[in-house]
Amino acid sequence: MSRSLIVKFPQPGISYKISVGRGLLSSVGDTIVSVSPNLPRKAALVSNRRVFGLYGKIVTASLKAVGIDVFPVLIPDGEKAKSFRVLQTVLNSFSENKMSRTDAVVALGGGVVGDLAGVAASLHLRGVPYYQVPTTLLAMIDSSVGGKTGINSPYGKNLIGSFYQPKAVIADTTTLMTLPKREIVAGFMEAVKQAALSGLPMVERTAKISEHYRKFGREMFGENAIRDRTTDLILENIRFKTSIVRSDERESVAETGSQSRKILNFGHTYGHALEKATQYRNLKHGEAVGWGLLFAATLSKKLEFLSSDELNLLNDVVRGFGRLPDISNIPTNSILDSVLYDKKVIDGEIQWILLNGIGKPVIVSGRHVPRKILVQTHKQITTSP
Ligand code: NAD
Ligand code: GLY
């Protein structure tokens, strides 16, 4: 079974198809042909060794079948690949292969591949078409959709990048069956984030999916009885995300309401700070977001926005997917100092994304949140069982 939706942006000419389902890797070539006014002669297939080893052949075959030549561009695995050095290697490879503006970049992999390939596509010849073929849960429900591309700098996470929408997103859910357990939990953390922002029904559906996950592990993506429900949850996440991105594609500084794209950073201020404080080594991005959700929900309760019942529910859903890696040995100050490098700092003040009830995001200036409360919040989440 596969399903698709079309995201139409208010700006004329920006719309793309997102397809989710089983067996879609073999249709990547057909999809590109169906949306390209000029048939690409060649495609840069950006991936890493691990994912290319698993799925490179089938995607290459599907591109060749429609007459597109393929040159693989393999980047190192992991967050460290989102660097200037790797970006330059990728751009050089595009130039060496004489990629023109009617050719295509295909990002086959998780969020790291997608973010890096996206920046490279936005820069080469000032922009060449690119296609997202996400192979992690996180990339399917979040990073492949919405056009944020980025690399890290020594000063912080995703500080360099562009808004650049893909021409199509093709998510083959069978790829999730080879995903390591930690990556699945990491992906579900972004699903919990979106559910908390959306409202109680989505939180409850996500909690139900966590029960399936505890029972079946990654087999849930192949298990007949529940795989359609998982696909439904992926689509629900994509719909939620695109509804926000459509209303505030560029995360406008002035937009501060509940439709601001900034709200998608719920849990990310603390999460990114954790990643930076640990030099991007110890935690998966989604695991850091998991801790960030616990932090933001607890902070929301401390500021009397969220009730105890709502906090407990969110804690249960986060922890229901499994244990997050221990962070108790990371110095509190190194995390809280890293918070200041967050992209959402405006006029020297961090903008906290909090919840004024489940499904009711609010943006609160750091000036209203004393450091003492942040320290207490950090202590509370790291000492709770
Ligand atoms: P990732 O890209 O590092 O992939 C996780 C691991 O899984 C890697 O080792 C990868 O090689 C492996 N892998 C990928 N697909 C596989 C498969 N099907 N089978 C087996 N192994 C597979 O991590 P991620 O969690 O997908 O993405 C995290 C990145 O996404 C972060 O850099 C984060 O900043 C970014 N992100 C971007 C956005 C956005 O809007 N652009 C949103 C959320 C996160
Ligand atoms: N993942 C945050 C955003 O896309 O805005």
Side-chain angles (χ1 to χ4, degrees), residues 329-362:
N329 58 346
I330 307 169
T332 311
N333 282 343
S334 78
I335 302 171
L336 297 183
D337 292 347
S338 299
V339 158
L340 283 176
Y341 287 96
D342 191 274
K343 288 191 301 305
K344 294 181 302 305
V345 169
I346 298 174
D347 290 340
E349 292 292 352
I350 188 71
Q351 309 291 303
W352 288 99
I353 314 300
L354 301 177
L355 290 180
N356 192 9
I358 289 178
K360 294 183 188 145
V362 281

